[in-house]
Amino acid sequence: MTAITTRPDLSAGSYRVWQRNRDVQFRLWRTELIGVVVEPFVVILALGLGLGQFVKLSSGEEYVAFLTPGLLAMFPMFAAVFECAWGSYVRLEMQHTYDAIIATPVSVDDVITGEILWGMTRATVNAAYILIVAIVLNPWLHMVESPWALAIIPLSFVPGLLFSAISICFASLARAMSQFSYFFNLVINPMFWFGGAFFPFDELPHWAQILGWFIPLTHVVELYRGFLKGQFEWSMIGDFAWVAAATFVFYWLALAGMRRRMIQ
Amino acid sequence: MIPPPVEARGLVKNFGSFRAVDGISFTVRQGECFGFLGPNGAGKSTTIRMICCTSPVGGGELRVLGLDPRRQSRAIKARLGIVPQEDSLDPDLPVRQNLEVYARYYGVPRAIASERISESLALFQLTEKANSPVSDLSGGMKRRLVIARSLVNQPEILVLDEPTTGLDPQARHLVWQKLRMLRAKGVTMLLTTHYMDEAAHLCDRLVIMHRGKFLAEGNPHDLIRDYAGEVVLELRMGHDDRAPLLGELTGIDGVAIEEVEDIVYIFEAGDAARQIAARIADPALAFLRPGNLEDVFLRLTGRGLLD
Ligand SMILES: Nc1ncnc2c1ncn2[C@@H]1O[C@H](COP(=O)(O)OP(=O)(O)OP(=O)(O)O)[C@@H](O)[C@H]1O
Ligand SMILES: [Mg+2]
């Protein structure tokens, strides 16, 4: 219980943990680059143009344009999840990296905060890249309708933190690597398909819309949709508040979970 | 007055209903090497982790460098160097960068860190491996690297949890030599080990720990004198042959006899054992040797497996 009620014990150590991950990334980026670069093109081609030919939205919008906010929300989500679910578990349990760090003046809270900030960084870099791809393809595909779309880059900090924190929560509970398939299949994958990225929610039955409201990704997609079009609605404040509040809650749970796990 | 490096009074640690450390008290003095010797599960690592502030104190009093681990863990950790029992090198980073990143956790400025790291790599004969991945290192090199890493913040206390377990004799001697050198520079050291020769080599004082408690405490020489005797006679003979000899010895003051399977150990301060050895004059049957820490250890903790 005390793990939940304790205030975070933070210092510059959080940043040093972030730096550690950055340094490792600088060593490995070549091996990961190709996948990340190709990813959005595959989806834009397959779904946006391929499937899009057969999809007629009642709003009259092109399917590839409808899909864009989803791309900007989903791939960064995956980046954060891979870093903070699998990555964290490996560093926690297999490599004993966290154990080594908390023997220095860096606290458990610093470690977790640094990890979440790093997950956020990867998410934001990923979002920025996809946005650039969308802007480059804009003369042909019209995926970005307003310069407001650039605001998505700073906005992507918040979902980056959220998905990182959710992943750390799970990593703090996991007892074996294989358990991550539950996390992926029961949490991340449904969120991917049902998060409002692939089909519009407003034409679904009421119960499905209510269900969708509980999916974090839905709010991120709605928010980005508004910024891509430059059409703002009051509900976007609600979406942002939802994501921000969830971020706070999951950050707190991530700290509590990892303290419980690591301080024995 | 400078507070002692480590001072514990009635230190306790429970894991659920299991008491891993059971009310131990000790004081580590400035500049000495203090050893925890004990079988598997004795509570050595648990004690070390409380001192290093990576595990909360379960009860009793603990002061490290005069500070309270419950409230001042960052200040304590900044001044300790830690060699954990399990290797925790960062496999995602090559040798030199392991130390650079680690120095950053302590907030050591880059230029100073770089200088110290070059020195430390040279000292532990790892300069040639500076850019190798950690996975390329042998067990002995990894251990040396962990010790080199523990020095990046120029610690006042060096805490070593089984520094040489799993190393070959060459590697162990190299590590010992470096540790003696550090001690000569005035670094206070805390060490746990299963190896009696390691304790005898390095420790000014040691405790023998068993089931969370201390069974004996002192410098290696006194412990051997008090618990093993100056000489130990090992008799390797059949039951019928040994019986009359044992009859001769029983009742003599200061003689202790322990029969373990096919060997009889006779611990003694006086002359009776010497005389028997001289009479039999066959070291294969009656072997006389000086007492050592292993005798102390086995006598105090028993010979059964403990884990
Ligand atoms: N986190 C934990 N949860 C429950 N029990 C633990 C925990 N850590 C240690 N123990 C138990 O406490 C006892 C002491 O463990 P400790 O690691 O301190 O022993 P040790 O003297 O270092 O042994 P070894 O020589 O094998 O390293 C053991 O019985 C161990 O199982
Ligand atoms: Mg141990």
Side-chain angles (χ1 to χ4, degrees), chain A residues 78-93:
Chain A
F78 283 126
V81 167
F82 278 110
E83 198 59 49
C84 288
W86 282 266
S88 290
Y89 186 78
V90 167
R91 291 190 279 275
L92 168 74
E93 206 56 43

Side-chain angles (χ1 to χ4, degrees), chain A residues 203-226:
Chain A
E203 285 162 44
L204 295 185
H206 190 62
W207 62 266
Q209 293 191 28
I210 291 176
L211 221 58
W213 188 86
F214 286 98
I215 302 175
L217 194 69
T218 319
H219 300 278
V220 184
V221 172
E222 285 313 308
L223 195 62
Y224 288 0
R225 197 180 298 288

Side-chain angles (χ1 to χ4, degrees), chain A residues 9-13 16-17 19-24 27-28 91 95-97 99-110 262-264, chain B residues 13 15 49 52-56 73-75 77-80 82 86-94 97 101-102 104-107 131 149:
Chain A
D9 171 20
L10 298 177
S11 75
R16 299 196 173 116
V17 171
Q19 283 178 307
R20 180 251 170 223
N21 289 331
R22 179 205 58 193
D23 290 352
V24 171
R27 297 186 53 78
L28 301 176
R91 291 190 279 275
Q95 301 185 170
H96 300 287
T97 313
D99 288 335
I101 300 176
I102 62 165
T104 74
V106 175
S107 68
V108 171
D109 293 358
D110 285 329
M262 290 169 67
I263 305 178
Q264 293 205 328
Chain B
K13 182 78 193 189
F15 293 112
R49 288 211 309 275
C52 297
C53 310
T54 52
S55 174
S73 63
R74 280 190 207 261
K77 290 196 277 187
R79 293 162 68 186
L80 298 188
I82 299 170
E86 280 188 61
D87 262 333
S88 59
L89 293 165
D90 200 326
D92 295 331
L93 297 167
Q97 213 178 358
V101 167
Y102 207 72
R104 209 159 53 195
Y105 297 139
Y106 287 94
N131 298 315
R149 188 183 69 176

